[in-house]
Amino acid sequence: MAYTLDLNKLIKDVRGPKGMAAVTEEINKLKAELERVRSKVEPKVEQKLKQTQDRLAKLKKELEGRQKTFEKELQKTIVTVKKTAMDAEKRLEAALKGKAAKAKTTARKTSKKAATSKKKTSKKA
């Protein structure tokens, strides 16, 4: 049976011979109804709360695991990128040194050939 409060009746009872006894009676009825509702609702709420807490704990654990995996993969990627960058830098430096060495040797050879050619042309004349 649901509790209903008739304020007009309560006001008449307060003004009437019952007075404060009517108010006390209504408060006791209201208290009893609240206790009944609490006894029915509270276990369900506690059960839902427990389910929610369990779910949150599971999600937190899963998230932490994924975070660790992500950090490991990121660290591996960073190490790989650094190694690749260092290797590329070494190869580039080696290639630049090789071009510089070839340019110097080519320049010397050209100079010697030009000098030899000049000597031959001057001897003929």
Side-chain angles (χ1 to χ4, degrees):
M1 178 172 111
Y3 177 77
T4 58
L5 178 63
D6 186 3
L7 288 175
N8 290 329
K9 182 180 181 274
L10 183 62
I11 292 170
K12 286 178 186 177
D13 288 343
V14 169
R15 291 183 184 161
K18 283 188 172 181
M20 285 306 290
V23 173
T24 306
E25 184 182 328
E26 286 298 319
I27 289 174
N28 287 335
K29 286 181 186 178
L30 184 61
K31 181 180 174 185
E33 184 66 21
L34 287 173
E35 288 296 324
R36 185 183 67 78
V37 169
R38 177 185 281 163
S39 67
K40 285 185 178 181
V41 173
E42 203 170 80
K44 291 178 185 176
V45 171
E46 286 178 2
Q47 183 182 10
K48 286 279 190 182
L49 181 63
K50 179 66 175 161
Q51 288 175 350
T52 305
Q53 287 174 340
D54 291 344
R55 204 163 142 207
L56 284 173
K58 183 180 175 184
L59 288 172
K60 182 181 176 185
K61 186 176 180 180
E62 186 179 323
L63 181 64
E64 287 172 350
R66 287 184 179 188
Q67 180 70 24
K68 286 180 183 179
T69 304
F70 173 75
E71 287 174 0
K72 285 179 184 178
E73 290 296 322
L74 182 63
Q75 193 63 31
K76 285 180 186 178
T77 304
I78 289 172
V79 168
T80 303
V81 167
K82 284 182 179 179
K83 284 181 181 179
T84 305
M86 290 175 68
D87 185 46
E89 188 177 338
K90 286 179 184 177
R91 288 182 181 193
L92 185 61
E93 287 175 1
L96 290 175
K97 285 181 183 178
K99 283 184 179 179
K102 282 184 180 180
K104 286 181 182 178
T105 57
T106 307
R108 288 182 190 161
K109 288 180 182 177
T110 307
S111 303
K112 289 179 183 178
K113 285 182 182 179
T116 311
S117 301
K118 286 183 182 178
K119 286 181 184 179
K120 288 181 183 177
T121 53
S122 55
K123 287 182 183 179
K124 288 181 184 176

